Amino acid sequence: MDYADFVHLARTSEQACAENGRAYRRSVMWFAALGYLWIVGCVALAVALLAFSVPQLLGGKFKFAWVMLVFAALGLLWASAQALWVRLDDPIDGVRVTPADAPELFKSLDRIRRRINGPPIHDVYLNDDFNAGVQQVQRWGVLGGSSNRLVIGLPLMMSLDKPRFLAVLAHEYGHLHGDHNRLNAWVYRTRLSWFKLYRRSMGDSASPFAVATQAFLRWYSPRFVARSFAMARQNEYEADQVAARLLGREQAISALIENQVKSSWFQSRFWQRHWLQAVREPLPVGPYGNMHRQMAQPPEPEFARGALRAALQEVSSVDDTHPVLRDRVSALGEERPGLPEQWSTRGSLSLLGRSAGHWIDHFDRDWCKHNADEWKRHHARLQRARARVLELQAGGATRSVGELVETADLMRQLRPGSAAAATLYQQALERDPAQPDALIGLAQGTQESDYGRCLQYLERLWSHHATHRLWAARMALSELETPRPEREFPEQALKLWRERRREGENAEAEVMQELERSPLLESARPHDLSAFERAELLAELERFVPVRRAWVLRKQLDSMPDRRTLVVLVSLSRSDEAAKRQLCAELEQRIALRALVLVAPAEDVASKEQLARLAGDPIHVRSL
């Protein structure tokens, strides 16, 4: 089943659900039953084989074929029984909270349960995600019985005041409420049953049973997922209705919007600011002690408006059963969603009572333990950047354009949003109006505050630098496709930049084709790394223990001569080809240089003589 057919079937299921929900649910139930029917058929086949072969053995016919048939039947019977006894007991990423730890939280959950006449929450866990979720754990497989788990993220509790946080909990509780949710759980267990049969007993087998099962699963699996898509999405809408009924429509809508905006702020701004403390702190600093104060504050107005605009632009797709924000608030009766009039200012840690401090300390210690090595590396990286800034600033007015831009780039790393960095970029443009990195820095710095000037910088970048055309087009379209009440719909500009994006994509495709068809070391010459870039590269190479030696070359591209391309050849202690490819791909992602970086195993690309002739001595040698 190809993707287009999958999308069509999923959309058809949504239409069927909208036209006649009851009939749609019945059709899903019958289709889900096919999963059990196949397993039951396997059981029946196994029993039939045993009924046929065992009497032959008891009759004294101990032929090899009968013995093998009995073993095959017993194996099929055991695998089928395992598949029917599905136990959804996934490990929980979090720590268990008891009523003694947080009595107010459990009282609130009990009040929600009584008001919606829902099942009890048996276990509550606390983790470090900006999220909350509920799941059912089946005790006895398809024979019935389940326990309900609620997982709550501590950052979410810090971000929302009690009424809005309870609206989130009511939404999660809504997934357990009503007959349709029991049907959803049954459907999910059905899918897991036949998947377990396939994975555990027949995934790597070439027996006739396995071949038949694999053929069935290839046909059944995508169709089942597509047919049940509307049911999963409808479940989200109904859970929102439960929250609105219990806490009020306004609170439910405000909770959805504030959750969306603060989640964006948490992922981008909070962690950025927290890691910047490594400039002055050599050892890791726990984030959660400071998180409560920051998350309880309203986000910056410009950021909040931008985050809401971005969220409202999203379109629901069949790749995720969760509806987008616009669809969720529309289903609650709000057609023109806006930012909350009042943001949360206290959070909901009061629900944890006196144990709140204990949990903050627990997650701080755990975070510091797991991030100690990365923090130390980041501290060293920022110290190198700081030292380089001081070195460049010592040059004063004699600094070159490139040094002005390098200083500005490093200052943005040390202090994002720095006005001093913008000043340096401007000084660089006064001396070289087409300096590409200065144009990029100013375009990024003015995207939120002055979109008109941002587009001017991108226009200049497009006109003068083929290397950066695709980046400029994508950034311009990101801005132009953002609705802004103070400007008319930029139809002509959108048309122009979309055409430019196509041009840029075609140019990048030519670069990729050249890299694929030409030897990696063709047109290679010694690298042009600065001392600072060399130190940064060595720091990354040192992190990867399997890298024993490394060489660096610069490659000239015919399709884009101005594109700076660096080839890093590594000698690895690993012999597995898949492991080599994965490590090289990781290195390409980690190396942050102003260039296109290609990483490859040295022994696959060049002989020792070629390496010595083209690259000279290795740039990195790991000491034993």
Side-chain angles (χ1 to χ4, degrees), residues 95-106 122-126 351-352 355 359:
V95 290
R96 192 167 182 267
V97 181
T98 66
D101 296 325
E104 288 301 317
L105 174 61
F106 281 84
H122 300 96
D123 298 296
V124 176
Y125 292 83
L126 200 63
L351 291 171
L352 296 177
S355 68
W359 295 120

Side-chain angles (χ1 to χ4, degrees), residues 361-372:
D361 291 341
H362 169 84
F363 285 108
D364 271 339
R365 289 194 302 271
D366 189 66
W367 191 91
C368 290
K369 176 183 176 181
H370 287 93
N371 291 276

Side-chain angles (χ1 to χ4, degrees), residues 499-510:
E499 179 59 35
R500 287 177 169 180
R501 180 177 61 186
R502 283 191 290 272
E503 289 182 37
E505 289 171 344
N506 291 336
E508 291 294 327
E510 289 182 17

Side-chain angles (χ1 to χ4, degrees), residues 315-344:
V315 179
S316 296
S317 73
V318 298
D319 297 323
D320 188 358
T321 57
H322 286 81
V324 295
L325 179 65
R326 179 180 291 278
D327 292 344
R328 294 179 72 177
V329 297
S330 177
L332 291 174
E334 179 58 68
E335 297 299 332
R336 298 176 61 86
L339 295 173
E341 294 183 5
Q342 294 291 330
W343 293 92
S344 297

Side-chain angles (χ1 to χ4, degrees), residues 97-175:
V97 181
T98 66
D101 296 325
E104 288 301 317
L105 174 61
F106 281 84
K107 288 178 183 177
S108 298
L109 291 173
D110 191 55
R111 283 194 292 269
I112 294 174
R113 181 188 66 81
R114 290 199 305 269
R115 290 189 63 183
I116 68 174
N117 193 27
I121 296 289
H122 300 96
D123 298 296
V124 176
Y125 292 83
L126 200 63
N127 68 11
D128 56 1
D129 292 336
F130 195 102
N131 201 1
V134 70
Q135 65 176 212
Q136 286 189 313
V137 181
Q138 299 310 123
R139 293 171 176 165
W140 307 302
V142 300
L143 302 179
S146 64
S147 64
N148 302 312
R149 288 176 175 174
L150 176 66
V151 184
I152 302 171
L154 186 63
L156 181 66
M157 294 192 75
M158 294 176 173
S159 301
L160 301 179
D161 283 349
K162 187 175 176 180
R164 292 176 185 174
F165 177 71
L166 292 179
V168 174
L169 295 189
H171 169 91
E172 297 304 329
Y173 225 130
H175 290 301

Side-chain angles (χ1 to χ4, degrees), residues 228-543:
S228 59
F229 177 82
M231 180 183 292
R233 176 159 289 177
Q234 189 63 28
N235 184 260
E236 294 294 333
Y237 288 124
E238 292 176 355
D240 283 340
Q241 293 295 337
V242 170
R245 189 166 70 250
L246 266 61
L247 278 303
R249 189 180 73 92
E250 294 300 325
Q251 287 288 9
I253 292 173
S254 295
L256 287 172
I257 294 174
E258 185 168 9
N259 188 6
Q260 180 75 42
V261 172
K262 285 194 171 180
S263 176
S264 298
W265 191 91
F266 176 74
Q267 297 297 336
S268 59
R269 299 295 175 84
F270 173 80
W271 286 116
Q272 180 190 61
R273 294 176 181 180
H274 181 72
W275 280 93
L276 280 175
Q277 294 182 68
V279 172
R280 59 182 184 276
E281 299 290 346
L283 297 178
V285 178
Y288 297 96
N290 191 40
M291 186 183 295
H292 183 210
R293 180 182 61 81
Q294 293 195 44
M295 298 305 294
Q297 295 177 356
E300 299 90 340
E302 189 63 34
F303 178 90
R305 287 191 291 269
L308 181 59
R309 277 197 305 267
L312 294 177
Q313 281 184 300
E314 294 177 354
V315 179
S316 296
S317 73
V318 298
D319 297 323
D320 188 358
T321 57
H322 286 81
V324 295
L325 179 65
R326 179 180 291 278
D327 292 344
R328 294 179 72 177
V329 297
S330 177
L332 291 174
E334 179 58 68
E335 297 299 332
R336 298 176 61 86
L339 295 173
E341 294 183 5
Q342 294 291 330
W343 293 92
S344 297
T345 57
R346 296 184 178 180
S348 304
L349 290 184
S350 60
L351 291 171
L352 296 177
R354 288 178 294 181
S355 68
H358 162 75
W359 295 120
I360 289 174
D361 291 341
H362 169 84
F363 285 108
D364 271 339
R365 289 194 302 271
D366 189 66
W367 191 91
C368 290
K369 176 183 176 181
H370 287 93
N371 291 276
D373 291 341
E374 183 60 32
W375 184 279
K376 293 173 185 176
R377 283 191 289 267
H378 191 57
H379 171 74
R381 186 183 307 119
L382 293 178
Q383 288 300 306
R384 292 193 299 271
R386 195 181 204 180
R388 178 60 176 163
V389 167
L390 294 175
E391 178 186 347
L392 290 167
Q393 288 178 333
T398 63
R399 283 177 290 180
S400 66
V401 171
E403 289 174 334
L404 287 173
V405 172
E406 184 183 356
T407 307
D409 286 344
L410 294 172
M411 291 179 70
R412 287 178 65 201
Q413 292 182 30
L414 296 167
R415 295 191 302 275
S418 168
T423 301
L424 290 173
Y425 286 135
Q426 291 288 3
Q427 291 175 4
L429 287 185
E430 288 173 3
R431 295 164 61 178
D432 181 0
Q435 214 289 331
D437 297 307
L439 290 171
I440 290 173
L442 287 171
Q444 292 173 329
T446 56
Q447 185 178 17
E448 293 184 2
S449 59
D450 190 344
Y451 62 84
R453 183 171 294 181
C454 171
L455 291 172
Q456 291 175 9
Y457 293 132
L458 294 174
E459 178 69 36
R460 205 187 306 179
L461 187 65
W462 170 273
S463 300
H464 291 88
H465 301 285
T467 300
H468 302 291
R469 282 182 171 176
L470 181 57
W471 183 91
R474 286 173 173 171
M475 188 170 183
L477 287 172
S478 173
E479 166 55 39
L480 292 168
E481 290 171 353
T482 300
R484 294 190 183 274
E486 64 271 21
R487 75 176 177 200
E488 297 180 357
F489 181 72
E491 181 177 358
Q492 293 301 318
L494 279 170
K495 182 178 179 180
L496 172 65
W497 281 106
R498 283 169 180 162
E499 179 59 35
R500 287 177 169 180
R501 180 177 61 186
R502 283 191 290 272
E503 289 182 37
E505 289 171 344
N506 291 336
E508 291 294 327
E510 289 182 17
V511 170
M512 293 300 107
Q513 288 172 7
E514 178 181 348
L515 291 173
E516 289 175 1
R517 67 173 179 259
S518 65
L520 194 58
L521 296 187
E522 185 178 285
S523 303
R525 59 175 187 260
H527 68 78
D528 58 349
L529 293 175
S530 67
F532 179 73
E533 288 178 322
R534 183 187 178 107
E536 291 295 288
L537 176 58
L538 289 175
E540 288 299 333
L541 292 171
E542 190 64 34
R543 287 190 58 199

Side-chain angles (χ1 to χ4, degrees), residues 49-58 60-73:
L49 291 174
L50 287 173
F52 178 70
S53 57
V54 169
Q56 303 295 329
L57 290 175
L58 294 176
K61 298 179 180 180
F62 289 96
K63 292 185 177 180
F64 179 76
W66 298 118
V67 175
M68 293 304 298
L69 194 60
V70 168
F71 277 110

Side-chain angles (χ1 to χ4, degrees), residues 164-213:
R164 292 176 185 174
F165 177 71
L166 292 179
V168 174
L169 295 189
H171 169 91
E172 297 304 329
Y173 225 130
H175 290 301
L176 303 175
H177 173 62
D179 292 336
H180 67 278
N181 291 293
R182 285 191 285 272
L183 175 61
N184 288 350
W186 182 79
V187 167
Y188 180 71
R189 292 196 300 273
T190 300
R191 176 168 57 181
L192 194 60
S193 292
W194 48 254
F195 177 72
K196 188 174 180 180
L197 174 65
Y198 168 71
R199 183 183 62 183
R200 293 193 176 182
S201 64
M202 300 184 180
D204 298 321
S205 174
S207 70
F209 300 136
V211 172
T213 297

